[in-house]
Amino acid sequence: MEEAKRISQLPPYLFARIEKTIEKAKAEGIDVISLGIGDPDRPTPGHIIDKLCEQGHNPANHRYPSSVGMLAYREAVASYYQNRFGVELDPKTEVVNLIGSKEGIAHISFCYLDPGDVALIPDPGYPVYGIGALLSGAEPYIMPLTAENRFVPDLDAIPVDIAKKAKLMFINYPNNPTGAIADDDFYKKLIAFAKEYDIIVCHDAAYQDISFDGYRAPSFLEYPGAKEVGIEFGSCSKSYNMTGWRVAWAVGHPRVIEAMGRIKSNIDSGCFQAVQHAAIAALTGPQVFTTEMSEVYQERRDIIVEGLNNLGWQLEKTKSTIYIWAPVPKGYNSISFAEFVFEKTGVVITPGNGYGKYGEGYFRIALTVEKDRMVEAINRFRELGTLQF
Ligand code: PLP
């Protein structure tokens, strides 16, 4: 059985490998603390679960849903954008439902990339951007995110011939894995760049509701001209602790949204309507939950950043996301340090090179375990002995 080239070139999904290591260690009786996967540990708020249960009993929801989402769902996304960002969206033409934003991020490449086309991909970055481009036969062009440029791509460094060939650019702020945020100047420059070279900006805003120290993450669509050059992906996953529910959206340029709807109607049959009703309850209900979760993550961030800094790191406190991105000590690479930490302490961290070659030399910690386990993880880090930086 020979696999198609398109799939044989796919790496195993990073976390599938990490899961296997964790399972094996647990079976051996090791008390594993997993700071690996960015999957919120707290439950979905009760009013959202109640809505699912209520709507699960309604036979109208037992039939095929629309691929682009119920109008009521798209209206709820539009009202969230109005209330949260002051951005106006037409729910009929500028919003599409997604079965998790991962689904849309992978499929957008099928809408716009032909073999030989170029997609501009941040590195380190969420692996799905590059995978979508590869599956479409296109060429990913890497935009390095480095500490020197505060993990924001240097648009001036993209060669003109590449920019001319590029059809899509993936951007993600607040950023996974680096925790970086982008400022107004970057977004203004990005929109001008996209206009000049006729590039569709795909802004991934999966972490837009988690922010610290008074910071408030903007939507890409708040910036003048953004809707003419791109779309934004958003999701209930991290905002409302709903990663398992698979409900998200893309919003923005109507032609891009229409193309996404067209590809979806040919590939999937949409998201269970009871889940869409639950997402409506999330998006239109009390938003205090996102503030409370941000406070929880902020406290965990402080434990990790202050704990690592006491051990010799020099990390700044991130303003958003559920991640801490830190350099490995001297004498290690990403993999060897993650292995060393796991063997010595039973703490799982993610090697930075899993997010691309510019992630080499870093590791990522997810803030998705309770405070006492964070403190325990830092205490175990002390057993690593003296580290050089
Ligand atoms: N984008 C980024 C940057 C992510 O880190 C994730 C999940 O971890 C996603 C998108 C996908 O989120 P979902 O498919 O759950 O909406």
Side-chain angles (χ1 to χ4, degrees):
M1 268 185 261
E2 200 179 330
E3 288 179 350
K5 282 193 199 70
R6 120 174 33 86
I7 183 161
S8 57
Q9 66 186 347
L10 289 181
Y13 198 62
L14 173 66
F15 289 110
R17 272 204 320 253
I18 295 177
E19 280 292 347
K20 271 194 195 147
T21 315
I22 296 175
E23 284 316 311
K24 189 164 164 280
K26 281 187 178 162
E28 288 164 8
I30 295 168
D31 174 26
V32 174
I33 303 180
S34 180
L35 307 179
I37 302 178
D39 192 352
D41 52 309
R42 296 266 180 110
T44 307
H47 69 283
I48 301 174
I49 301 174
D50 290 344
K51 185 56 83 176
L52 173 76
C53 297
E54 175 201 307
Q55 291 295 328
H57 287 292
N58 181 353
N61 295 327
H62 298 172
R63 311 187 69 185
Y64 283 124
S66 137
S67 305
V68 297
M70 300 185 302
L71 183 57
Y73 173 81
R74 289 177 282 142
E75 283 168 350
V77 173
S79 97
Y80 163 84
Y81 262 77
Q82 180 70 65
N83 297 335
R84 170 77 173 79
F85 303 112
V87 168
E88 239 174 78
L89 292 169
D90 179 345
K92 292 205 172 101
T93 57
E94 295 177 339
V95 183
V96 64
N97 166 265
L98 298 172
I99 310 171
S101 57
K102 186 177 189 179
E103 179 254 305
I105 290 167
H107 281 146
I108 183 93
S109 290
F110 291 137
C111 298
Y112 289 100
L113 299 178
D114 284 319
D117 287 339
V118 169
L120 302 172
I121 311 283
D123 177 336
Y126 183 54
V128 186
Y129 312 134
I131 297 294
L134 272 183
L135 289 176
S136 309
E139 283 166 35
Y141 178 85
I142 298 302
M143 302 185 291
L145 305 187
T146 62
E148 293 73 57
N149 57 29
R150 299 192 69 77
F151 304 109
V152 174
D154 178 0
L155 301 178
D156 297 329
I158 299 169
V160 170
D161 60 320
I162 295 289
K164 282 185 178 159
K165 274 167 72 183
K167 292 176 84 180
L168 292 183
M169 182 194 290
F170 288 92
I171 294 288
N172 165 224
Y173 293 98
N175 184 259
N176 175 17
T178 66
I181 54 176
D183 62 16
D184 294 349
D185 287 347
F186 171 73
Y187 283 114
K188 287 177 195 157
K189 204 166 171 177
L190 172 67
I191 290 164
F193 183 87
K195 270 195 186 138
E196 182 176 355
Y197 293 106
D198 194 19
I199 294 169
I200 298 169
V201 174
C202 302
H203 187 261
D204 177 359
Y207 298 93
Q208 65 193 3
D209 283 324
I210 301 162
S211 45
F212 317 132
D213 306 328
Y215 174 71
R216 173 196 155 282
S219 161
F220 167 62
L221 296 181
E222 278 176 46
Y223 293 90
K227 212 194 277 177
E228 283 112 74
V229 296
I231 59 164
E232 180 158 87
F233 292 101
S235 175
C236 289
S237 286
K238 309 289 157 86
S239 299
Y240 307 105
N241 292 352
M242 290 174 73
T243 48
W245 299 56
R246 314 311 301 135
V247 59
W249 58 84
V251 292
H253 197 304
R255 271 179 49 204
V256 182
I257 296 301
E258 188 277 328
M260 292 209 64
R262 205 165 358 127
I263 199 154
K264 282 177 60 61
S265 64
N266 282 281
I267 291 180
D268 67 61
S269 298
C271 166
F272 182 26
Q273 286 195 170
V275 168
Q276 294 186 56
H277 280 291
I280 294 171
L283 291 163
T284 59
Q287 299 299 302
V288 63
F289 176 77
T290 59
T291 314
E292 285 165 6
M293 273 317 298
S294 292
E295 283 163 9
V296 169
Y297 290 127
Q298 182 173 324
E299 203 180 348
R300 295 175 181 178
R301 173 205 68 174
D302 289 347
I303 293 168
I304 293 294
V305 171
E306 287 164 20
L308 290 181
N309 284 354
N310 282 336
L311 294 170
W313 273 269
Q314 288 184 316
L315 304 175
E316 281 178 35
K317 286 190 173 171
T318 44
K319 292 270 179 261
S320 183
T321 78
I322 53 175
Y323 305 113
I324 304 298
W325 185 243
V328 300
K330 276 204 183 100
Y332 294 94
N333 60 32
S334 291
I335 296 275
S336 69
F337 187 63
E339 283 174 355
F340 173 63
V341 169
F342 188 64
E343 275 159 26
K344 278 266 195 186
T345 67
V347 176
V348 178
I349 56 174
T350 311
N353 62 343
Y355 300 93
K357 73 174 183 179
Y358 288 90
E360 180 51 75
Y362 286 87
F363 65 96
R364 192 193 78 171
I365 282 181
L367 302 173
T368 47
V369 301
E370 289 296 351
K371 204 164 79 168
D372 55 333
R373 296 292 275 170
M374 291 266 150
V375 172
E376 167 71 13
I378 288 295
N379 285 340
R380 292 194 200 170
F381 262 64
R382 291 184 219 287
E383 292 159 24
L384 296 175
T386 310
L387 302 167
Q388 305 291 328
F389 292 91

